[in-house]
Amino acid sequence: MFYHIITYGCQMNVHESEKLAGMLENLGYVSTPKKEDADVILFNTCCIRDTAERRAYGNIAALKKLKKNKPDLIIGVCGCMPQQDSSKTYLETKMPHVDIVFGTHNLHKFSEMLQNCLKDKKRIIETWGDSVLQPANTPMTRTSGVNAWVNITYGCNNYCTYCIVPYVRGREISRPMNEIIEEVKQLLKSEQYSEITLLGQNVNSYGNDLKDGTTFAKLLENIAILDGEFRLKFMTSHPKDIKDEVIDTIAKYKKISRLIHLPVQSGSNAILKAMNRRYTREYYLERVNYIRQQMPDAGLSSDIIVGFPGETEQDFLDTLSLVKEVGYSNLYMFMYSPRKNTPAASMPNQIDELVKKERVKKLIELQRGLMRENAKQSIGKKYRALFEEFKDGVLSAVTDCGKLVFINNASKELVGKFGEVLITSAKSGRLIGELV
Ligand code: SAH
Ligand code: SF4
Ligand code: F3S
């Protein structure tokens, strides 16, 4: 018996697909890269932007034919999309070839649902509204190479006005610190993972709901002091909550990655206010300065939305100037996509799609130029790096400050190990290096 999982969206979904794979393997299923061979096909969906939703619907609809030729095939749809009532109803009524629909809060019940569906030969359409802590014993088949994802919080309380996540993922809940540390200890003991990435929509608010003084800084410290050579990463940091204490802890421990993902979204104070981000451009730049003071070698990455309702040409220019001023190692750039029932979707002055496209193009060009410059400056420098993957004869490594380096003529035995790399050249922002 074979299974095939198609995952859309963020790392949270990637990790949840590992849990679904774990449950399927416990039931005796084996992974297949070919949909045609599968007995169970799962779509783990995302609804952050319209494009993500449309792609998923298109691919789910395209399976009708396969199901017709193979009536015993089980098709499941889960993740963030069915957490919206409208999507759940659409899947139920318009996609009768889908057998199981479930959400993010009852994901750990998937084995049971699958077995019931097979036994009773009945469709199962069930999502839960409230966030829950997924049980610590949920099986997992990890698929991210030398990296292991570890959930620290579920849900989000921030209600940025453009964002669907708090509506589909529910209120923020933190996992108890001892449970997280136990999971990390087990991962390190297995000696299969050299990198641990802590996951939460806003990792900096970890512990707020536990009301026992637990903080993200303490969690970072308690993991960083564990034995063994490993890299500790985390995402995502909301700028409003990244306290000095967190930055100081990162600076104190070499094991914590010096690439900090700190999404700014916009460089304009008017837009930041309308987005309900609860910080200003000046505050954000002050946080960046503090990070650079404590860790001159730190790399920063960010997310930006262009074309938020009411964004004027000047607002957009403010975003460009902030991007230049910070100098990001990596930037993820999006055109605003209205999401049903979020406050921004009904704001006046929605921006024309063509304007959004032009703006995102300009931003991409700016960032490409900055990255090319930045890459040139790395030539001749040495960095400590983790060798992450070996593909087509090329070893890829990521430095402590988050630079991706490609190394030719190296051994694949190095994957999972740390070492020194020297940057020898850069082509269109791609760094080439050698071992030292
Ligand atoms: N919790 C994380 C990730 C949120 S989703 C955070 O706060 O950073 C990842 C990114 O998608 C966001 O940072 C934002 O830049 C983008 N995004 C969210 N909603 C969007 C929308 N409606 N349209 C376009 N981009 C959006
Ligand atoms: Fe969405 Fe904002 Fe929460 Fe991130 S912090 S998930 S952007 S509401
Ligand atoms: Fe998408 Fe859900 Fe992540 S909406 S971005 S998969 S939390």
Side-chain angles (χ1 to χ4, degrees), residues 133 136 150-153 173-186 198 203 206-226 232 245 249:
L133 281 177
V150 175
N151 291 111
I152 66 165
T153 62
I173 351 180
S174 303
R175 278 180 79 190
M177 174 124 71
N178 56 1
E179 195 181 295
I180 298 169
I181 292 176
E182 201 38 52
E183 184 175 340
V184 174
K185 277 187 181 163
Q186 292 303 324
L198 307 178
V203 289
Y206 169 73
N208 284 358
D209 55 320
L210 297 174
K211 305 210 179 335
D212 60 357
T214 299
T215 63
F216 181 56
K218 281 188 194 150
L219 176 69
L220 276 181
E221 178 149 53
N222 284 339
I223 298 177
I225 57 173
L226 295 176
L232 178 58
E245 198 195 357
T249 308

Side-chain angles (χ1 to χ4, degrees), residues 131-378:
S131 295
V132 287
L133 281 177
Q134 287 171 11
N137 61 358
T138 308
M140 285 174 212
T141 300
R142 296 188 181 268
T143 55
S144 303
V146 299
N147 172 70
W149 310 107
V150 175
N151 291 111
I152 66 165
T153 62
Y154 297 100
C156 181
N157 287 349
N158 290 303
Y159 291 96
C160 303
T161 54
Y162 50 81
C163 187
I164 193 80
V165 171
Y167 304 92
V168 294
R169 289 267 171 178
R171 306 291 291 173
E172 181 182 278
I173 351 180
S174 303
R175 278 180 79 190
M177 174 124 71
N178 56 1
E179 195 181 295
I180 298 169
I181 292 176
E182 201 38 52
E183 184 175 340
V184 174
K185 277 187 181 163
Q186 292 303 324
L187 288 166
L188 296 174
K189 213 165 107 190
S190 79
E191 293 184 358
Q192 287 181 58
Y193 306 101
S194 310
E195 185 173 88
I196 304 288
T197 306
L198 307 178
L199 290 179
Q201 297 297 345
N202 174 10
V203 289
N204 297 306
S205 56
Y206 169 73
N208 284 358
D209 55 320
L210 297 174
K211 305 210 179 335
D212 60 357
T214 299
T215 63
F216 181 56
K218 281 188 194 150
L219 176 69
L220 276 181
E221 178 149 53
N222 284 339
I223 298 177
I225 57 173
L226 295 176
D227 286 340
E229 197 176 23
F230 64 95
R231 174 176 289 164
L232 178 58
K233 297 203 326 191
F234 52 88
M235 63 194 320
T236 297
S237 273
H238 195 307
K240 79 176 164 62
D241 295 317
I242 190 161
K243 304 267 172 341
D244 286 2
E245 198 195 357
V246 171
I247 300 168
D248 297 344
T249 308
I250 304 169
K252 189 170 161 194
Y253 295 98
K254 203 174 98 185
K255 285 183 187 170
I256 307 179
S257 168
R258 264 117 180 81
L259 174 67
I260 303 176
H261 185 56
L262 200 62
V264 67
Q265 312 298 355
S266 168
S268 149
N269 279 336
I271 297 298
L272 287 171
K273 189 156 197 279
M275 287 176 162
N276 190 32
R277 290 291 288 180
R278 288 176 277 170
Y279 55 81
T280 60
R281 173 191 177 100
E282 293 72 28
Y283 164 89
Y284 182 88
L285 290 172
E286 184 280 319
R287 290 288 76 190
V288 169
N289 277 340
Y290 188 71
I291 291 171
R292 297 229 156 113
Q293 254 171 34
Q294 303 306 309
M295 293 171 276
D297 59 338
L300 283 160
S301 60
S302 195
D303 296 346
I304 297 226
I305 298 177
V306 300
F308 184 83
E311 185 185 69
T312 61
E313 198 52 33
Q314 186 55 49
D315 292 323
F316 176 62
L317 292 174
D318 288 347
T319 296
L320 293 183
S321 78
L322 180 133
V323 166
K324 258 193 239 164
E325 192 169 339
V326 176
Y328 290 109
S329 329
N330 261 318
L331 198 55
Y332 303 91
M333 297 160 269
F334 309 106
M335 290 190 285
Y336 169 68
S337 169
R339 304 284 70 209
K340 227 190 277 160
N341 302 326
T342 60
S346 52
M347 282 181 187
N349 303 321
Q350 297 283 327
I351 306 296
D352 193 85
E353 285 302 304
L354 282 176
V355 175
K356 287 184 199 169
K357 275 192 189 140
E358 249 170 57
R359 288 184 182 165
V360 85
K361 209 170 125 202
K362 277 189 195 150
L363 183 59
I364 292 171
E365 270 165 28
L366 169 69
Q367 178 61 14
R368 276 210 189 122
L370 292 169
M371 281 173 73
R372 248 180 266 133
E373 263 319 295
N374 191 291
K376 268 194 232 153
Q377 285 168 12
S378 303

Side-chain angles (χ1 to χ4, degrees), residues 380-397:
K381 290 191 183 151
K382 263 193 239 164
Y383 296 93
R384 179 178 175 269
L386 169 62
F387 304 109
E388 294 199 346
E389 203 185 1
F390 187 83
K391 215 170 144 191
D392 304 327
V394 181
L395 185 67
S396 56

